[in-house]
Amino acid sequence: MNDFTITTLLHLQHNQHKQKPLMQPFNYQYLTSIKTLTPHITCLAVHRNLLYAASLNLINVFDLSSNYTLIDTFNETSTSGFVKSITFTGSRVFTAHQDCKIRIWHITSSKQHCLVSSLPTVKDRLRRCIVPKNYVTVRRHRKSLWIKHNDTVSGLAVNEKEKLMYSVSWDKSFKIWDLSSGYYRCLESFHAHDDAINAVVVSEDGTVYTASADGCIKAWKMDNKVKRYSFVSVGKQKPTVNALAMNGDGRVLFSGGSDGTICRWESNNKKCEENNNVVLMETLRGHSGAILCLVNVNELLVSGSADHTVRIWRRERRDGGYCCRGVLEGHEKPVKSLVVTSGIGEADDGVVKLFSGSLDGEIRVWECLV
């Protein structure tokens, strides 16, 4: 595909003397594609100028500073199932898997990845397994330690400020992990939703949002008096909610549903904050398939869908709504993951690179001017 630039204009009104000013041009272009050895891209992430691409059980690592050279492939254990989420803190990589485990990897000086442990750790399991009250019923005639996930771990998010990690699972639970010590203990666990949980994000102030197939988006905040998290509010998006994204200051939350709609939620006034609530501000429509992934950068929102396309949405005014400014095509199967990186150096100011990963096994690289 050749590079291209799209300029989107406002629709002209029939009455020419009442014509509105044209929108500012929005530019983007397709750069290249990255192919993995196996199909089915399930997750993309970027850390320390490295692109991580999960394909089936394998995690491929590409060097962004060296023409997307493949420098490592790890997690070759097929029994782990699909990799659903990847997050980072320092030289540690945390990966969420279909086999109910969270694995911890260390990045070596040569940019290779070595398995350190899995969560919950053996030490944590041994410490709790003797006490009966540490067991919960997970299904009929079966109990399990409350620190363990009992279905696919579907999402991870790290709170660097508090040194905490949050995990969600199709077992309907939401767990909080201590990263401040080398033990990585599970601190809390909640039966958070009535159906599988698909996504989790954390805001700057430490508020955690979880989204589920039950159509609910729930917010959780730390109660500083007891130093424990508690449920504070809920938003309802009727269909299954597959994806979440948050803007830079944590005041705007986006959720993507299985009906192809994107909801914009805000808590930007005193009344909302006092009620610990979020308000539905806008619903974005355009995709013809389920929303599978979302990412936000500055005033841009990018969505990937089961309709094989990526849409770029832009906020037209500070207090206004979002409009679709471009549709990126070329994938042959659903777009499962998106990640954005900023340009390096003054010459790239205002330019970001967008990576879209699809179930067709292709990662397409785009350049956008924001």
Side-chain angles (χ1 to χ4, degrees), residues 64-338:
L64 298 183
S65 61
S66 182
N67 199 29
Y68 312 116
T69 302
L70 179 64
I71 61 171
D72 192 20
T73 298
F74 62 101
N75 191 50
E76 297 180 351
T77 304
S78 59
T79 55
S80 72
F82 289 174
V83 180
K84 306 295 289 185
S85 182
I86 305 173
T87 191
F88 312 90
T89 178
S91 62
R92 290 288 194 264
V93 182
F94 297 87
T95 55
H97 298 264
Q98 192 176 11
D99 68 356
C100 315
K101 293 181 180 179
I102 301 167
R103 288 175 169 81
I104 308 170
W105 309 82
H106 173 69
I107 309 173
T108 68
S109 57
S110 59
K111 300 180 181 178
Q112 301 299 293
H113 296 75
C114 301
L115 181 63
V116 175
S117 184
S118 62
L119 298 180
T121 62
V122 173
K123 183 174 182 178
D124 205 8
R125 293 200 304 269
L126 290 175
R127 188 167 64 91
R128 299 180 188 273
C129 69
I130 302 174
V131 183
K133 70 177 182 180
N134 286 329
Y135 289 83
V136 294
T137 300
V138 293
R139 60 179 62 95
R140 188 177 182 184
H141 304 310
R142 184 184 170 188
K143 291 189 175 184
S144 176
L145 287 171
W146 65 266
I147 60 175
K148 294 174 61 178
H149 281 300
N150 293 282
D151 204 336
T152 297
V153 183
S154 52
L156 300 172
V158 166
N159 182 340
E160 290 283 4
K161 183 178 178 181
E162 300 296 334
K163 298 300 180 185
L164 297 173
M165 183 175 71
Y166 314 98
S167 64
V168 293
S169 169
W170 290 353
D171 67 8
K172 310 174 190 178
S173 72
F174 158 52
K175 299 187 188 297
I176 302 164
W177 306 84
D178 176 21
L179 303 183
S180 63
S181 65
Y183 299 117
Y184 303 117
R185 294 181 300 114
C186 185
L187 301 177
E188 295 182 75
S189 179
F190 301 90
H191 183 91
H193 288 266
D194 295 328
D195 207 335
I197 307 177
N198 295 321
V200 59
V201 293
V202 58
S203 69
E204 273 192 354
D205 68 358
T207 303
V208 183
Y209 298 91
T210 57
S212 168
D214 64 10
C216 288
I217 301 152
K218 292 188 177 183
W220 310 79
K221 274 193 174 183
M222 173 72 79
D223 184 334
N224 290 322
K225 292 182 180 179
V226 296
K227 296 299 180 182
R228 293 178 65 86
Y229 272 82
S230 60
F231 167 71
V232 292
S233 66
V234 63
K236 185 71 175 177
Q237 185 174 348
K238 290 183 180 179
T240 293
V241 186
N242 296 320
L244 294 174
M246 182 158 284
N247 76 335
D249 63 11
R251 290 186 175 274
V252 182
L253 177 73
F254 302 94
S255 61
S258 61
D259 62 349
T261 62
I262 302 168
C263 291
R264 174 168 67 92
W265 310 81
E266 292 194 8
S267 57
N268 59 353
N269 58 65
K270 291 182 179 179
K271 184 177 179 180
C272 289
E273 291 176 347
E274 288 171 0
N275 292 335
N276 291 319
N277 209 350
V278 290
V279 177
L280 177 61
M281 304 297 293
E282 181 181 14
T283 301
L284 310 179
R285 294 179 173 86
H287 283 290
S288 60
I291 307 298
L292 301 179
C293 49
L294 295 168
V295 65
N296 177 261
V297 55
N298 297 334
E299 294 299 312
L300 293 184
L301 173 70
V302 187
S303 56
S305 170
D307 65 12
H308 305 183
T309 68
V310 175
R311 284 181 178 257
I312 301 178
W313 311 78
R314 190 169 194 171
R315 194 165 192 171
E316 299 307 324
R317 301 176 305 278
R318 184 173 180 84
D319 58 346
Y322 281 74
C323 296
C324 181
R325 302 301 304 277
V327 181
L328 312 185
E329 299 177 314
H331 283 296
E332 297 178 357
K333 289 188 178 181
V335 180
K336 193 67 175 65
S337 187
L338 297 165

